Amino acid sequence: QAQLVESGGGLVQAGGSLRLSCVASESVGSIIIMGWHRQCPGKQRELVATITSGGSTNYADSVKGRFTISRNNTKNTVYLQMSGLKPEDTAVYYCYVVGNRLIRSTSYWGQGTQVTVSS
């Protein structure tokens, strides 16, 4: 069973919206941080947004004001609400989670979900 399960990707027109979800299994332990990275075609994977256990958020400059990250700790779920999508947002989006288990922190990555924004 996958430790991180992503959903919500798809094809939308420019200006549209999508909400990505990522559910972490309980096996990751106590979640310290959750977030999203993306990899645009031909480019290096880059950070999109993160949210800490305390609720602090961080966004890439390119998505500020358009994307919102949120979480539901009881469900081990992180969301990325994406609005005002642009063609340059087209990428594979990867969920990641840092969990604390057995007094150790471990990073987990999802398999990625495709987001395509048409002009």
Side-chain angles (χ1 to χ4, degrees):
Q1 185 176 4
Q3 293 172 299
L4 303 180
V5 179
E6 301 145 316
S7 62
L11 173 64
V12 297
Q13 297 184 48
S17 300
L18 284 174
R19 190 179 77 158
L20 306 183
S21 299
C22 175
V23 181
S25 72
E26 294 183 355
S27 65
V28 305
S30 300
I31 295 175
I32 300 171
I33 190 169
M34 309 182 80
W36 296 89
H37 287 61
R38 69 184 181 186
Q39 187 166 13
C40 300
K43 298 182 179 179
Q44 192 72 41
R45 187 178 299 185
E46 63 179 359
L47 183 146
V48 177
T50 60
I51 184 166
T52 69
S53 59
S56 297
T57 58
N58 184 43
Y59 297 92
D61 288 341
S62 60
V63 306
K64 287 181 179 178
R66 299 188 298 119
F67 291 11
T68 302
I69 189 169
S70 61
R71 62 178 181 144
N72 187 321
N73 288 341
T74 61
K75 297 181 179 179
N76 277 9
T77 302
V78 63
Y79 307 94
L80 185 68
Q81 178 66 48
M82 305 183 294
S83 300
L85 284 163
K86 305 175 181 179
E88 50 262 45
D89 295 318
T90 295
V92 178
Y93 285 72
Y94 297 90
C95 177
Y96 88 94
V97 170
V98 179
N100 187 279
R101 180 175 56 86
L102 301 176
I103 321 299
R104 274 191 308 210
S105 296
T106 305
S107 297
Y108 302 88
W109 290 90
Q111 73 277 18
T113 184
Q114 177 70 47
V115 172
T116 302
V117 184
S118 62
S119 59

